[in-house]
Amino acid sequence: MTDEAHGFATEQVHGGFQPDAGHGARVPAIHMSSGFLFEDFDQARDRFAGTDDGYTYTRLGNPTNADVERRIALLERGVESILVGSGQAAATIAFLGVLQAGDHVAAARSIYEGTKGLLVQNLGRLGIEVDFVADQRDLDEWARQVRPNTKAFFAETIPNPKNDVLDISGVADTAHRAGVPLIVDNTLATPYLVRPFEHGADIVVHSASKFLSGHGAGLGGVVVDGGTFDWSVSPERWVHLTSPERSLGGESYVDRYGSRAFIVFARDVVASRIGPTPSPFNSFLLRQGIETLSLRVERHSANALAVASFLEQQPEVTSVDYAGLASSPFHDLAQRYLPRGAGSVFAFTLDGGEAAARTFIDSVQLFSRMTHLGDVRSLILHPATTTHAGKTPQERADQGIDDGLIRLSVGIEDVADLVRDLSRGFAALRGAGVGAVGAVGAVGAVGAVGAVGAVGLEARVGSDSELASLEHAVPGNHVIAEEL
């Protein structure tokens, strides 16, 4: 592509593409090779010395993976990215690229439970401490968490399951006043809805298994560096980046790479040695998903707003946690940071607790009962007995995880079918006498879709037998400690 400005959809299709000089293939090849040939003795030496840009070993770099890295870095407006095997691997690489024993992290409490466990248990065992900010909108609370050994702030743009949108620029400014970078998990927003670097974030991570892929067919993660944090300002705080390095001929990473110091260190020293390398085949699947990202996320968000608006009208529902609704306390932040939509992962709470949630979830047919997010298929889960089951009742209450709370990841199906399926859950509640009564029926629910902005979306309403033909079962006898 030329240097002229392009739209997001154009970049997601063409960004980072390098023509295949050998065969002229328009779709980049899948390079399923552990290692790569050297033409001669000198080329091998030069590649290991870093003076030749060719590939040596897939754990250190692969052409298929590099194609995806270039495209994601472009979409996020970062300087470089590292593709890894999962979102958890991405968070690990980002943290270990900044932190060492004795350091401290200030993190939002409203983050993915797996990342929370990584910070508390895994990094905690390595001598890294973390404190959680209960109200991430309270910038003074972020400031109060800062210690002399604080080295990073961490939060998510759209947290799961409460959809409590992050004030990115406010938290970034607070982090920078403390002299530390803000690391942001942008999984649920994707760069189509918001680019955190444009609001002051310094490092972005993704679980690429979610919306970036969309198809749910493979795992992946990515770390993106904005190239904006100046690691040279306080060299004593970032000794791994500012101290002389023998492998760099006595230069430091900052001396050699400047604004790219973090991402080069994270790739060459952290990721290459820990080894969370994705399969090039999974990278190919990820690239296929990215090419339709904007189309999918636009539909995801429109469907989610319609579904959330429908849920808000039901008397059995005590609350709907969706920032796209005017009733949300985070609606102002959604309007500021997410003008294209507030994503499609959110929760709603039923009056009647776990019994109501069980009846509701067991009654739907189109929503898949499974742990995953960002799939083209709509998904449903009960956090209190799955993703947050390891928390005490008080800890769940502190996080707003009521026994009647249900999480949805709204897919790209016809929205009328989704509303009809959810109406089946409410009908089951009324038939079972659990919770409140008197809401609109399925026919009225489908009719209400047009009133909440779903104009332009297909509204095919299948018969009961047609929906039943789509019903499926997921084996449920595998015990897990936290959400996968």
Side-chain angles (χ1 to χ4, degrees), residues 57-343:
Y57 193 64
T58 283
R59 176 164 54 82
L60 308 177
N62 178 285
T64 307
N65 298 356
D67 174 81
V68 179
E69 290 174 338
R70 290 191 298 270
R71 191 161 304 184
I72 294 175
L74 174 66
L75 293 176
E76 281 286 11
R77 294 295 186 263
V79 296
E80 189 174 332
S81 71
I82 305 171
L83 194 64
V84 292
S86 70
Q88 280 295 85
T92 301
I93 299 305
F95 289 136
L96 294 182
V98 174
L99 306 169
Q100 63 183 14
D103 286 347
H104 171 257
V105 180
R109 183 174 65 184
S110 185
I111 60 174
Y112 169 51
E113 287 298 305
T115 307
K116 194 175 295 181
L118 170 65
L119 287 165
V120 173
Q121 292 181 295
N122 302 90
L123 297 187
R125 292 181 60 238
L126 302 181
I128 295 170
E129 300 175 303
V130 60
D131 280 311
F132 295 102
V133 175
D135 180 5
Q136 64 185 31
R137 290 202 64 157
D138 186 349
L139 300 182
D140 290 335
E141 185 178 356
W142 282 97
R144 287 193 295 271
Q145 297 292 354
V146 174
R147 308 179 190 173
N149 61 333
T150 300
K151 296 295 181 64
F153 280 19
F154 177 78
E156 298 177 1
T157 47
I158 302 178
N160 150 41
K162 300 290 284 185
N163 204 259
D164 38 343
V165 177
L166 178 70
D167 180 359
I168 306 171
S169 62
V171 176
D173 289 346
T174 307
H176 296 158
R177 284 195 295 272
V180 303
L182 171 61
I183 304 172
V184 170
D185 184 333
N186 199 33
T187 296
L188 298 192
T190 80
Y192 178 69
L193 295 182
V194 66
R195 288 169 167 147
F197 295 140
E198 295 177 348
H199 302 283
D202 302 289
I203 299 166
V204 165
V205 299
H206 284 271
S207 171
S209 321
K210 310 302 191 297
F211 289 97
L212 290 180
S213 293
H215 40 60
L219 299 182
V222 65
V223 182
V224 191
D225 185 7
T228 54
F229 191 82
D230 189 349
W231 306 97
S232 66
V233 169
S234 301
E236 72 285 353
R237 303 191 77 181
W238 321 105
V239 292
H240 61 297
L241 300 179
T242 59
S243 297
E245 175 62 42
R246 186 177 64 178
S247 65
L248 300 180
E251 291 184 293
S252 69
Y253 280 89
V254 169
D255 292 334
R256 174 73 67 89
Y257 300 105
S259 63
R260 295 174 55 244
F262 160 79
I263 198 70
V264 174
F265 180 88
R267 181 190 297 277
D268 293 353
V269 179
V270 184
S272 69
R273 291 177 181 165
I274 293 177
T277 310
S279 162
F281 182 73
N282 277 12
S283 300
F284 166 79
L285 293 177
L286 170 57
R287 183 178 62 227
Q288 295 300 98
I290 290 173
E291 291 179 350
T292 60
L293 177 64
S294 63
L295 304 178
R296 289 184 287 103
V297 173
E298 183 177 38
R299 179 66 174 254
H300 278 294
S301 298
N303 278 4
L305 178 59
V307 167
S309 298
F310 160 70
L311 291 170
E312 196 173 41
Q313 299 170 19
Q314 309 311 308
E316 292 90 350
V317 175
T318 60
S319 65
V320 180
D321 300 306
Y322 187 63
L325 296 174
S327 57
S328 169
F330 297 91
H331 186 62
D332 61 322
L333 292 178
Q335 290 181 306
R336 176 180 175 187
Y337 294 109
L338 304 166
R340 287 172 163 169

Side-chain angles (χ1 to χ4, degrees), residues 436-460:
V437 296
V440 297
V443 175
V446 174
V449 172
V452 294
V455 176
L457 299 181
E458 295 179 2
R460 177 186 58 78

